[in-house]
Amino acid sequence: MKTTKIEWTDSTWNPVTGCTKASTGCMHCYAEVMARRLTAMGVAKYANGFRVTTHEDALTEPLKWKKSRTIFVCSMSDLFHKDVPFEFVDKVMQIIQQTPQHRYQILTKRAERMAEYFETRDVPKNVWLGVTVEALATKTRIESLRRIAHAPIRFLSCEPLVEDLGELDLTDIDWIIVGGESGNQARPMKEEWVVNIQKQVQQAGKVFFFKQWGTWGSDGIKRDKHKNGKQLRGKICQALPEA
């Protein structure tokens, strides 16, 4: 189990590594940069670089973790990438079902393929399903997520938020995460885009989590992301849904 600095989870589990770009949010992918670094360091798991690779030997890791954790699945990949066979996803779900003490967060940009998978399979009771909605063109992913029946928690990750999302239909969506982009090439996020989402979340009675400003601050100045912080209009807004 790998602890993580991601504020909305406890640990990460990567039975799959590698990915390909799916939308504008992937432009400056942190996982790709990290994978290249790990490859250069000679880490065996990243011998294939950022090419999609399944890892049978990583499947059983959560069986060893007795203490209850919230676990982000495939932080270095996308479990529903077309190059990950459904048979392998089945193996991931089997481990999830065998470890009910944990809560597993599965976030994808391949919302239609995730919906296709669960058309013929039940969602484990300890799984939270999410889709990335970082720009207007990706809002269609919400409909695919919504049609997955009996998901205990459905969530949106609006990170990196690269434009105003306008009006959102949050019906049957439980939790919304928002965050700005990090890195030298990061695109700025405007405060009004974040507040627009926050107001809709509050009006819909949902749960809102503001992760960070990223490389560009609320004042539009580029600086270290830690200096920009994670306050939205002077407050920390990092609520979690009740499982």
Side-chain angles (χ1 to χ4, degrees), residues 74-219:
C74 293
S75 64
M76 295 293 290
S77 184
D78 190 325
L79 185 62
F80 290 100
H81 192 283
K82 64 179 179 61
D83 293 338
V84 181
F86 279 171
E87 292 77 12
F88 189 83
V89 180
D90 285 339
K91 294 179 181 180
V92 172
M93 295 299 164
Q94 287 168 9
I95 296 297
I96 288 173
Q97 291 173 329
Q98 290 176 48
T99 51
Q101 73 271 27
H102 301 310
R103 296 161 299 281
Y104 292 87
Q105 300 161 319
I106 298 176
L107 177 64
T108 185
K109 291 183 174 70
R110 280 82 180 175
E112 291 186 2
R113 193 162 189 263
M114 181 169 70
E116 177 189 350
Y117 177 82
F118 285 114
E119 282 177 0
T120 55
R121 299 163 177 85
D122 292 333
V123 181
K125 294 181 180 179
N126 55 334
V127 163
W128 302 5
L129 296 179
V131 296
T132 302
V133 183
E134 77 274 25
L136 285 167
T138 62
K139 286 169 63 174
T140 55
R141 294 171 183 164
I142 303 174
E143 293 304 320
S144 296
L145 175 62
R146 201 183 343 262
R147 75 170 193 260
I148 299 174
H150 309 301
I153 297 289
R154 296 183 185 86
F155 69 97
L156 309 181
S157 175
C158 304
E159 184 189 10
L161 185 64
V162 298
E163 65 180 341
D164 188 3
L165 296 182
E167 186 175 348
L168 295 168
D169 182 356
L170 298 177
T171 305
D172 295 327
I173 304 300
D174 304 288
W175 186 37
I176 295 83
I177 303 165
V178 179
E181 193 167 33
S182 299
N184 291 333
Q185 297 176 300
R187 292 158 286 184
M189 177 179 66
K190 295 184 179 180
E191 184 177 87
E192 56 262 35
W193 302 349
V194 184
V195 173
N196 174 46
I197 296 173
Q198 183 189 36
K199 287 181 177 178
Q200 293 184 70
V201 172
Q202 292 172 339
Q203 290 169 358
K206 310 298 182 175
V207 183
F208 180 78
F209 190 106
F210 182 63
K211 182 185 170 188
Q212 64 174 19
W213 281 102
T215 299
W216 294 86
S218 59
D219 55 5

